[in-house]
């Protein structure tokens, strides 16, 4: 095939990255004192969109936005266009072009996203990529660029270099052999090889090929990235996962050390302390910073929560308890006002509420919820709420893209309206979801499930429908 890319031969796995959604970018911007464009009618570009695993769910959750994806792989673009058509997403376009040749209007995108590209192209090309982002980004817009980072990637480099010495179909066996030859006395080195091997066994073969066997793969220090971004007229706004770089979560000595340091040195210090291996940097145009008089803040502003929406995965452990259980851990919340707010968020979950809708909304509550958000990761902050149902009702409806994913998801992963990946392992749940077009009732779904050879009754179907509503998979 003419101009065939490695992704034509072996497409990469499809995923939605919640941290790359413009909703997240707008939130981090607001916490950093930057006024980002409104989301409801935003203009969004994804560079390297592949089959649309990240881009198409964004189009679903932002029906009033205009989205464009570009990718040099014809095979992946064709697949993205097919899915977009079947999923009834008229607000998205996917173009077969690389960033080097794309003809897009300067300054025409409020949000520019580039996941998994910067570290996997030649050094001279990545500078051209950043220049293109700076050219296409609107003056007040926000860009997202992810990349593999040093020093964290140092411990994986030996595995990477060894894997490239073996035929691709023998790579995993070869790495396993190497690990077994390493002396137990070299425990740290052996452990690092084991971690890579375990990761590769857990993932799709495409991850091995494109992450470890790629001819171009260049982990970099964040300081080098920011220097190249500055050359392209871009300035650092923050990280799409603020907890990864928050000084509030690091020892006090780290904050003291970086107090007078500029942004790049501060970020490199954080990466050395944490052994960071992957970054999700947010960038804005440097000229807009100068015009607005904006400077990067070392710490986020808790008061900004007052202008955001909040959703919670925390659940009260028992009535009146000050302990709340999350997806990963439990947290004690001594403040009565914060407990009342969390109970209200629990009541409306999976939907969000504007901070001002919470009981006792005041600066003190904003500070308390900021601390819970930063420390636990069990609260989600949003600048925009997609239309989603809190309960299934009699004629539940899921967006067409969700139904399509439910019908064809080989690994049972579905992207919800919050742009989070949800794994639905139970066949009946996926069967029900694939048919929720707003016309079916629970008794009808029972009959259809029985004809398909699934064991079902009305109670089990209603349980499935309630689970789907709680997972933010139903629209209203």
């Amino acid at each position: 095939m003419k101009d065939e890319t490695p992704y034509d031969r072996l497409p990469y796995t499809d995923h939605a990255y919640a941290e790359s959604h413009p909703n997240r970018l707008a939130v981090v911007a607001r916490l950093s004192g930057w006024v980002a464009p409104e989301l409801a009618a935003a203009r969004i570009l994804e560079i390297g969109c592949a089959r649309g695993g990240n881009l198409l769910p964004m189009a679903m959750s932002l029906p009033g936005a205009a989205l464009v994806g570009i990718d040099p792989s014809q095979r992946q673009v064709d697949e993205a266009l097919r899915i977009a058509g079947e999923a009834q997403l008229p607000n998205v376009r996917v173009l077969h072009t690389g960033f080097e040749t794309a003809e897009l209007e300067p300054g025409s995108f409020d949000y520019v996203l580039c996941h998994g590209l910067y570290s996997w192209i030649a050094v001279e090309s990545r500078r051209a990529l950043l220049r293109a982002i700076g050219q296409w980004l609107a003056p007040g817009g926000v860009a997202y660029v992810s990349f593999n980072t040093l020093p964290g990637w140092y411990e994986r480099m030996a595995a990477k270099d060894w894997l490239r010495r073996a035929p691709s179909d023998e790579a995993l066996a070869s790495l396993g052999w190497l690990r077994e030859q390493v002396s137990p006395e070299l425990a740290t080195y052996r452990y690092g090889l084991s971690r890579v091997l375990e990761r590769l066994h857990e993932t799709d073969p495409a991850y091995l090929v494109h992450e470890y066997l790629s001819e171009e793969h260049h982990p970099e220090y964040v300081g080098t990235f920011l220097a190249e971004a500055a050359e392209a007229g871009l300035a650092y706004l923050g990280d799409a996962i603020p907890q990864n770089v928050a000084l509030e979560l690091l020892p006090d000595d780290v904050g003291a050390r970086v107090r007078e340091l500029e942004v790049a040195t501060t970020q490199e210090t954080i990466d050395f302390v944490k052994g960071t291996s992957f970054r999700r940097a947010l960038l804005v145009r440097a000229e807009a910073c100068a015009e607005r008089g904006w400077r990067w803040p070392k710490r986020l502003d808790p008061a900004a929560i007052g202008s955001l929406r909040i959703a919670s995965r925390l659940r009260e452990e028992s009535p009146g308890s000050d302990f709340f259980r999350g997806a990963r851990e439990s947290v004690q919340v001594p403040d009565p006002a914060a407990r009342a707010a969390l109970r209200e968020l629990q009541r409306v979950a999976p939907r969000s509420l504007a901070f001002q809708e919470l009981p006792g909304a005041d600066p003190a509550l904003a500070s308390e919820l900021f601390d819970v958000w930063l420390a636990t990761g069990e609260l989600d902050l949003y600048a925009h709420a997609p239309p989603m149902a809190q309960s299934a009702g009699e004629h539940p409806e899921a967006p067409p893209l969700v139904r399509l994913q439910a019908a064809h998801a080989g690994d049972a992963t579905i992207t919800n309206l919050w742009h989070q990946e949800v794994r639905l392992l139970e066949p009946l749940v996926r069967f029900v979801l694939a048919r929720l077009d707003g016309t079916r009732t629970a008794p009808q779904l029972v009959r259809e499930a029985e004809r398909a050879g699934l064991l079902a009754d009305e109670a089990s179907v209603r349980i499935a429908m309630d689970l789907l509503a709680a997972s933010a998979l139903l629209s209203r």
Side-chain angles (χ1 to χ4, degrees):
M1 181 186 294
K2 184 179 179 181
D3 297 328
E4 186 181 60
T5 74
Y7 298 92
D8 287 304
R9 295 188 291 273
L10 181 62
Y12 204 51
T13 51
D14 275 332
H15 286 288
Y17 303 97
E19 65 273 16
S20 74
H21 196 288
N23 218 338
R24 176 72 63 85
L25 276 55
V27 164
V28 177
R30 203 167 295 181
L31 292 169
S32 304
W34 182 268
V35 180
E38 291 296 324
L39 290 164
R43 302 161 300 169
I44 301 162
L45 169 69
E46 183 173 25
I47 302 171
C49 67
R51 292 181 292 190
N54 195 40
L55 183 70
L56 299 185
M58 290 180 186
M60 171 184 71
S61 65
L62 293 168
L67 298 93
V68 175
I70 62 173
D71 199 279
S73 166
Q74 183 69 66
R75 178 180 177 181
Q76 294 190 123
V77 167
D78 289 345
E79 185 70 0
L81 289 170
R82 178 190 66 79
I83 296 170
E86 292 184 21
Q88 303 169 39
L89 296 171
N91 58 332
V92 62
R93 293 188 297 139
V94 184
L95 309 176
H96 176 221
T97 180
F99 67 87
E100 307 94 334
T101 56
E103 297 181 358
L104 301 171
E105 184 180 348
S108 59
F109 293 98
D110 301 311
Y111 297 92
V112 178
L113 319 172
C114 184
H115 183 85
L117 180 58
Y118 174 88
S119 292
W120 294 269
I121 55 179
V123 174
E124 58 272 20
S125 295
R126 73 190 193 195
R127 292 190 174 93
L129 170 64
L130 291 171
R131 287 196 297 271
I133 291 172
Q135 178 183 13
W136 295 327
L137 189 64
V142 180
Y144 164 104
V145 182
S146 68
F147 57 99
N148 282 346
T149 316
L150 300 173
W153 245 87
Y154 273 130
E155 69 173 21
R156 308 180 193 184
M157 294 298 283
K160 171 182 174 293
D161 291 344
W162 178 264
L163 285 164
R164 286 183 53 78
R165 285 167 165 77
S168 59
D169 59 347
E170 301 175 11
L172 289 182
S174 178
L175 184 59
W177 177 89
L178 174 63
R179 180 191 60 184
E180 295 308 312
Q181 310 317 307
V182 174
S183 169
E185 295 179 358
L186 300 174
T188 301
Y189 176 38
R190 186 183 175 104
Y191 175 67
L193 296 175
S194 295
R195 287 184 62 187
V196 173
L197 190 60
E198 290 169 7
R199 171 70 171 155
L200 293 177
H201 277 300
E202 294 170 353
T203 54
D204 187 276
Y207 178 78
L208 166 66
V209 171
H210 297 303
E211 181 81 357
Y212 281 88
L213 303 182
S214 172
E215 292 183 8
E216 300 287 355
H217 184 195
H218 310 282
E220 268 299 355
Y221 286 106
V222 65
T224 301
F225 169 82
L226 291 178
E228 293 179 2
E231 291 174 2
L234 296 166
Y236 182 72
L237 174 69
D239 193 275
I241 304 181
Q243 290 86 347
N244 288 349
V245 299
L247 291 170
E248 294 91 335
L249 301 179
L250 292 171
D252 292 341
D253 285 351
V254 178
R257 185 182 185 92
V258 303
R259 185 175 295 119
E260 303 301 327
L261 299 179
E262 45 80 39
V263 56
T265 309
T266 297
Q267 296 305 309
E268 283 196 348
T269 301
I270 292 170
D271 285 355
F272 270 100
V273 170
K274 300 192 69 172
T276 304
S277 60
F278 192 68
R279 276 263 180 173
R280 304 161 182 85
L282 304 186
L283 304 169
V284 292
R285 285 173 53 166
E287 63 184 36
C289 297
E291 291 172 359
R292 296 182 178 193
W294 179 89
R295 296 184 63 185
W296 170 74
K298 278 192 166 62
R299 297 178 187 273
L300 300 176
D301 179 14
I305 282 188
S307 65
L308 295 170
R309 304 184 66 87
I310 307 174
S312 175
R313 287 180 293 276
L314 291 170
R315 302 293 178 262
E316 193 175 27
E317 289 198 348
S318 61
S321 172
D322 59 357
F323 281 90
F324 288 77
R325 183 181 66 258
R328 293 178 295 273
E329 60 182 291
S330 293
V331 58
Q332 186 175 19
V333 183
D335 183 70
R339 292 199 300 270
L342 292 175
R343 292 188 193 105
E344 182 65 7
L345 291 170
Q346 176 178 333
R347 185 185 67 80
V348 303
R351 295 188 298 114
S352 65
L353 287 176
F355 175 79
Q356 299 301 330
E357 296 179 277
L358 294 173
D362 62 16
L365 178 62
S367 180
E368 290 285 343
L369 293 181
F370 175 88
D371 289 344
V372 174
W373 165 76
L374 192 65
T376 71
E378 300 290 358
L379 299 182
D380 292 316
L381 303 180
Y382 297 106
H384 173 82
M388 69 176 64
Q390 184 181 355
S391 60
E394 289 303 310
H395 295 84
E397 182 175 0
L401 178 62
V402 168
R403 302 201 304 268
L404 191 64
Q405 289 181 339
H408 300 289
D411 64 353
T413 300
I414 316 293
T415 305
N416 71 10
L417 286 159
W418 287 130
H419 208 67
Q420 300 160 339
E421 291 192 331
V422 179
R423 284 182 61 77
L424 300 177
L425 300 176
E426 174 56 49
L428 178 62
V429 177
R430 295 201 305 277
F431 180 89
V432 168
L433 178 58
R435 286 155 181 79
L436 294 186
D437 60 1
T439 67
R440 290 171 168 87
T441 63
Q444 289 174 307
L445 289 165
V446 170
R447 292 192 292 272
E448 291 184 26
E450 289 174 342
R451 287 196 294 270
L454 293 173
L455 291 175
D457 56 25
E458 188 167 340
S460 62
V461 167
R462 289 194 182 278
I463 289 172
M465 290 160 55
D466 289 341
L467 172 64
L468 296 171
S471 300
L473 289 165
L474 302 184
S475 53
R476 60 174 172 83

